[in-house]
Amino acid sequence: MLQSRPSSPLLAALVRHYEDLVERLRWRFGDRALAREVVHDVCVDLLERPRRDPVEHPLALLRRMSHDRAVDRVRTQDRERRWVDAAEVLPDVASEQPGAASTLQARQELELLCRTVEAMPERCRLVFVMHKIHELPQAEVAAQLGISLKTVEKHLRLGMAACRAALQRGAAA
């Protein structure tokens, strides 16, 4: 059943001073739509949770409630706007940085390759490290070790085969 008159002095004051409340908020915050929404929210609050205690100055309380609600709403909008603005500067593609799982896998593979290189025969290990790690040309490796270029190539083939086999065993495990 609809009542023709508001049941509380606060609601009566809100109905009587609705435009004044809206105009004060519009003047303070510069947005008539925001002002109307805030006064509406205050009205809904009063309907949902009527005050039991008497109010000496209903208009003053309504102004305070409206102002506080408007400040809360503006702060919330600013927070949301900052979040959206921050999200706009995010790249359109996923990060190219490896995830934790791929980093762990890469570390495990590196440890496996290190153990594999350490297990190679000494001459093979020297050739492999000089060429693959220190990036010396094959001819220079041959000259420094006093071996033929064919021997360097043979040791590199054996070293690479050992590394591939170790990685395949590691992947299968």
Side-chain angles (χ1 to χ4, degrees):
M1 172 167 30
L2 291 174
Q3 296 179 349
S4 60
R5 299 179 64 182
S7 61
S8 79
L10 277 176
L11 281 174
L14 188 132
V15 169
R16 207 169 34 255
H17 299 286
Y18 178 83
E19 287 303 324
D20 173 55
L21 292 167
V22 169
E23 188 55 31
R24 281 177 159 271
L25 292 174
R26 187 213 50 83
W27 178 81
R28 171 69 173 84
F29 295 97
D31 185 349
R32 181 170 293 282
L34 170 80
R36 288 191 182 284
E37 289 175 13
V38 167
V39 174
H40 178 265
D41 289 348
V42 169
C43 180
V44 170
D45 283 349
L46 292 174
L47 289 170
E48 289 178 348
R49 292 181 304 249
R51 294 182 63 100
R52 301 278 184 238
D53 53 331
V55 177
E56 281 188 49
H57 304 287
L59 182 57
L61 179 60
L62 289 170
R63 285 177 178 162
R64 173 56 45 203
M65 290 171 67
S66 298
H67 178 269
D68 291 349
R69 175 64 65 101
V71 167
D72 289 346
R73 185 174 286 224
V74 167
R75 284 180 181 161
T76 299
Q77 289 172 346
D78 285 346
R79 251 191 322 271
E80 290 169 355
R81 191 174 304 115
R82 281 193 308 271
W83 186 85
V84 168
D85 290 345
E88 287 177 357
V89 298
L90 292 175
D92 290 336
V93 296
S95 171
E96 294 180 14
Q97 294 290 338
S102 17
T103 301
L104 176 64
Q105 181 181 0
R107 284 184 181 157
Q108 290 171 341
E109 287 176 355
L110 180 61
E111 289 173 13
L112 177 65
L113 288 173
C114 287
R115 287 193 307 269
T116 302
V117 170
E118 288 172 2
M120 290 177 186
E122 183 178 353
R123 177 66 50 107
C124 184
R125 182 176 62 244
L126 279 173
V127 169
F128 190 84
V129 168
M130 289 173 78
H131 181 67
K132 294 295 183 182
I133 306 299
H134 297 290
E135 300 179 342
L136 295 176
Q138 291 181 8
E140 191 173 330
V141 172
Q144 284 189 15
L145 295 177
I147 58 176
S148 72
L149 190 56
K150 288 284 186 192
T151 304
V152 169
E153 292 171 356
K154 177 186 93 170
H155 286 306
L156 287 175
R157 266 194 319 277
L158 292 173
M160 290 301 292
C163 289
R164 270 194 292 284
L167 287 175
Q168 286 173 351
R169 283 191 307 271

